[in-house]
C-alpha cells in the first residue's frame, strides 16, 4: 500500500490538534487507521488514503476511525464515491466511525452496499 | 383539475374554507390520480392527514401519506426531500402530489422561506411530468399569504372555480423575500478564514451547547457549521463571520461572507449518488428547522434555526 500520510511518531499520533489528520496503514489487515478530523484542510490526505484502498486486491478494506472526531459532508462523499467505484464483491469496512458519518451516509446513500459499518 | 395536455408541470393552489371544501378539493384529485395509475403522495399537516385518510377510506393505503409539519418543518428541504424525493422515485410516470407547506401557525420568521419555497417549485419542476396541488387555508392565513399564492401558482382554485392567476410572477416573490438580515450585535462574532475552520466549528458547538443543544442535534449543528464556514472559505471570498445566539427556544447559527449566492435552487436539488461535491447546503436544509438567506452582490447571510 502506498503512503497516504506521513508516518507520525506515537506522541504526535496521540496528540489531537485542531484540524489535523493522521493516516497510517493498519498493521494486521488491509487498510488504514486514521486519527483527527476530516474537513477542508485534511481532505487531500483522506482522498489519498481512499485512492489507495481502491487499488488493493483484498475483498475487504478496513478503515479504523475510532480516533476520528469529525467528518464533513465532502469527506463522507469522497468515501461513498470511492466505495461506488469498487469492483463487484469488494467492500470497505468502517470501524468505529463517528456516529455522524454513518448518519450522513444513510442520508445521502441509503443503498450503499459496499460500505459496512462496525459501530462505536 | 385534470392537467392540460400541453403543460407537463402543473402547480395549482387550492384556496379552501373549512373541512368540506378541503375534502372536495383534494379527494377527487387523489382519486383521479389513482385511477390513472399515477403514484400519489399527500404531504400536509398531521390533522389534515387524518381528515384525508378518513375521506379516502381504503384508497388511503395506496397513497404515500407524509406529515408536512415534520418532513417540511424547514421549507428549504421540501423540494429536495419531499417533492423530488417522491417524484424522482417514479421517473417513468406522471406523479401527483398534494403539498401544503404553509399553515396558520407558521411564524413571521418562517414565512419568507415558505413563500420562496412555493415560488421555487416552479423552476425546480419545469418540464417534469408532475402535478403539485397546494392547499391554502383561506380562513386561517392572512391576505398577504393569499396574495403571494397568486404570484407563486400559475393556476388558483377558489370556491371550486379554477382560474389562471392574473399575477403569476414567482421570481418577484423569491426577490421580495430575500429580506436583509440585520447583524445581531449582542452575539459575539467569530471571524474565520481557511486556517480557522476547525476553531469556528468549535466556537459554534461550544456556544450551542451552552444554549441547551445536546446529543445528535449538537452533532448535526457541527456538520451544518462546517458546511457554512467551508462555503465561505471556498465560494464566499475566503473568509466570514459566524455568530450563535438563542431565540425563542431555538439556537440560531449565522454565517456572513462576501459571496453572492446566485442560484436560488442551491441546496434544493437532490445530488446524484456518484457526484463528489455540492451537498453542503442540501445537508444544511436537511438538518435544520429553518434556513433564512439574504444574498446580493455585497455578500450573503445564511441563518439557520435549530429547535432545542
Amino acid at each position: 500500500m502506498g503512503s497516504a500520510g506521513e508516518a507520525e511518531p506515537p506522541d504526535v499520533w496521540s496528540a489531537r490538534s485542531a484540524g489535523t489528520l493522521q493516516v497510517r496503514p493498519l498493521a494486521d489487515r488491509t487498510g488504514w487507521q486514521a486519527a483527527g478530523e476530516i474537513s477542508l484542510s485534511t481532505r487531500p490526505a483522506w482522498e489519498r488514503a481512499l485512492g489507495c484502498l481502491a487499488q488493493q486486491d483484498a475483498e475487504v478494506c478496513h478503515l479504523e476511525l475510532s480516533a476520528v472526531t469529525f467528518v464533513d459532508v465532502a469527506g463522507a462523499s469522497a468515501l461513498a464515491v470511492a466505495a461506488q467505484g469498487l469492483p463487484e464483491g469488494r467492500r470497505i469496512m468502517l470501524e468505529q466511525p463517528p456516529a455522524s458519518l454513518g448518519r450522513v451516509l444513510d442520508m445521502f446513500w441509503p443503498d450503499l452496499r459496499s460500505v459496512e459499518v462496525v459501530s462505536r | 383539475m385534470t392537467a392540460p395536455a400541453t403543460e407537463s408541470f402543473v402547480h395549482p393552489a387550492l384556496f379552501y374554507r373549512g373541512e368540506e371544501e378541503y375534502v372536495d378539493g383534494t379527494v377527487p384529485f387523489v382519486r383521479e390520480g389513482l385511477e390513472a395509475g399515477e403514484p400519489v403522495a399527500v404531504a400536509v399537516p398531521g390533522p389534515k392527514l387524518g381528515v384525508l385518510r378518513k375521506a379516502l377510506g381504503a384508497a388511503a393505503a395506496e397513497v404515500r401519506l407524509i406529515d408536512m409539519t415534520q418532513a417540511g418543518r424547514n421549507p428549504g428541504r421540501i423540494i429536495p426531500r419531499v417533492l423530488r424525493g417522491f417524484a424522482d422515485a417514479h421517473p417513468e410516470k406522471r406523479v401527483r402530489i398534494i403539498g401544503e407547506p404553509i399553515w396558520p401557525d407558521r411564524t413571521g420568521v418562517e414565512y419568507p422561506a415558505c413563500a420562496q419555497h412555493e415560488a421555487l417549485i416552479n423552476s425546480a419542476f419545469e418540464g417534469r411530468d408532475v402535478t403539485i396541488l397546494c392547499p391554502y387555508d383561506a380562513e386561517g392565513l392572512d391576505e398577504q399569504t393569499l396574495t403571494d399564492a397568486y404570484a407563486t401558482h400559475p393556476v388558483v382554485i377558489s370556491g371550486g372555480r379554477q382560474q389562471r392567476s392574473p399575477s403569476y410572477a414567482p421570481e418577484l416573490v423569491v426577490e421580495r423575500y430575500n429580506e436583509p438580515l440585520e447583524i445581531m450585535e449582542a452575539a459575539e462574532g467569530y471571524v474565520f478564514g481557511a486556517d480557522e475552520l476547525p476553531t469556528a466549528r468549535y466556537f459554534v458547538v461550544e456556544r450551542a451547547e451552552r444554549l441547551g443543544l445536546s446529543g445528535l442535534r449538537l452533532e448535526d449543528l457541527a456538520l451544518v457549521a462546517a458546511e457554512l464556514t467551508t462555503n465561505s472559505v471556498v465560494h464566499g471570498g475566503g473568509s466570514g463571520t459566524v455568530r450563535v445566539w438563542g431565540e425563542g427556544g431555538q439556537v440560531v447559527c449565522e454565517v456572513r461572507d462576501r459571496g453572492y449566492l446566485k442560484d436560488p435552487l442551491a441546496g434544493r436539488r437532490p445530488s446524484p449518488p456518484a457526484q463528489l461535491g455540492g451537498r453542503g447546503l442540501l445537508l444544511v436544509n436537511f438538518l435544520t428547522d429553518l434556513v433564512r438567506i439574504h444574498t446580493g452582490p455585497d455578500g450573503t447571510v445564511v441563518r439557520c434555526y435549530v429547535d432545542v
Side-chain angles (χ1 to χ4, degrees):
Chain A
M1 189 177 284
S3 157
E6 297 87 65
E8 302 285 353
D11 58 328
V12 175
W13 176 258
S14 58
R16 256 179 246 154
S17 52
T20 65
L21 179 71
Q22 293 87 43
V23 183
R24 62 182 185 187
L26 285 163
D28 57 345
R29 55 210 190 280
T30 302
W32 299 98
Q33 182 176 27
E37 297 185 349
I38 298 164
S39 56
L40 184 66
S41 62
T42 61
R43 200 183 305 154
W46 175 241
E47 289 181 347
R48 274 199 301 279
L50 294 169
C52 291
L53 278 192
Q55 289 157 23
Q56 299 303 304
D57 295 325
E59 187 189 323
V60 181
C61 286
H62 301 260
L63 283 172
E64 205 284 308
L65 304 180
S66 62
V68 169
T69 52
F70 182 77
V71 183
D72 69 4
V73 179
S77 300
L79 171 66
V81 170
Q84 291 171 76
L86 291 176
E88 185 70 30
R90 289 196 47 203
R91 62 190 199 278
I92 294 174
M93 179 125 19
L94 292 186
E95 298 175 10
Q96 305 181 62
S100 61
L101 175 59
R103 294 178 60 228
V104 170
L105 290 174
D106 285 342
M107 194 183 308
F108 290 114
W109 297 272
D111 305 319
L112 195 61
R113 283 159 207 274
S114 47
V115 173
E116 233 172 275
V117 178
V118 182
S119 305
R120 275 188 183 173
Chain B
M1 223 178 298
T2 310
T6 50
E7 287 177 38
S8 50
F9 179 52
V10 183
H11 184 209
L14 166 71
F15 290 3
Y16 65 91
R17 293 162 190 83
E19 195 174 304
E20 196 182 326
E21 268 194 33
Y22 191 72
V23 170
D24 288 350
T26 54
V27 169
F29 175 85
V30 171
R31 291 199 189 280
E32 264 176 37
L34 293 175
E35 278 159 24
E38 296 172 4
V40 180
V42 171
V44 299
K48 295 278 163 41
L49 219 46
V51 169
L52 289 185
R53 195 182 277 121
K54 198 172 151 209
L56 285 165
E62 297 168 59
V63 177
R64 174 85 183 276
L65 301 170
I66 300 161
D67 184 347
M68 193 63 125
T69 59
Q70 302 292 319
R73 170 94 174 92
N74 172 12
R77 66 170 174 254
I78 297 176
I79 289 174
R81 176 161 274 183
V82 180
L83 304 179
R84 279 202 56 185
F86 186 72
D88 292 4
H90 304 281
E92 309 300 325
K93 289 179 172 171
R94 167 167 281 278
V95 304
R96 202 174 265 242
I97 304 171
I98 297 178
E100 187 169 359
I102 305 176
W103 45 86
D105 288 345
R106 286 283 202 193
T107 65
V109 180
E110 290 170 68
Y111 180 71
C114 295
Q116 287 187 318
H117 152 72
E118 279 284 39
L120 290 168
I121 289 179
N122 299 291
S123 47
F125 282 92
E126 196 177 356
R128 296 278 305 258
D129 283 332
V130 175
T131 306
I132 301 175
L133 175 72
C134 301
Y136 279 76
D137 181 349
E139 289 176 334
L141 296 168
D142 62 27
E143 269 309 302
Q144 186 60 52
T145 303
L146 300 180
T147 303
D148 288 341
Y150 273 98
T152 54
H153 297 79
V155 170
V156 174
I157 302 157
S158 185
R161 279 183 44 245
Q162 175 171 320
Q163 61 160 329
R164 289 228 143 256
S165 166
S167 51
Y168 177 63
E171 296 82 8
L172 294 184
V173 171
V174 174
E175 208 177 291
R176 185 186 322 138
Y177 289 106
N178 179 29
E179 293 176 352
L181 298 166
E182 298 306 322
I183 291 180
M184 174 62 81
E185 299 287 358
E188 182 194 350
Y190 183 89
V191 179
F192 61 88
D195 292 343
E196 290 78 35
L197 283 176
T199 42
R201 195 175 74 244
Y202 306 153
F203 172 88
V204 171
V205 168
E206 192 256 326
R207 271 167 176 68
E209 201 169 12
R210 249 194 264 160
L211 290 164
L213 210 62
S214 62
L216 290 179
R217 297 295 272 169
L218 191 61
E219 285 182 24
D220 286 351
L221 189 65
L223 285 166
V224 165
E227 295 318 309
L228 295 179
T229 53
T230 302
N231 272 355
S232 296
V233 167
V234 177
H235 308 291
S239 63
T241 304
V242 61
R243 285 185 177 79
V244 178
W245 67 90
E247 196 177 302
Q250 292 184 307
V251 169
V252 187
C253 172
E254 177 201 273
V255 173
R256 282 172 191 267
D257 63 38
R258 284 167 291 157
Y260 182 12
L261 196 57
K262 290 197 185 87
D263 176 9
L265 283 174
R268 296 178 204 253
R269 287 188 195 89
S271 48
Q275 181 183 303
L276 193 54
R279 290 184 182 82
L281 281 178
L282 193 59
L283 173 113
V284 170
N285 272 330
F286 281 4
L287 295 185
T288 61
D289 295 304
L290 175 67
V291 178
R292 287 284 307 275
I293 295 176
H294 177 251
T295 190
D298 296 334
T300 293
V301 185
V302 183
R303 198 175 270 187
C304 303
Y305 296 74
V306 177
D307 295 344
V308 174

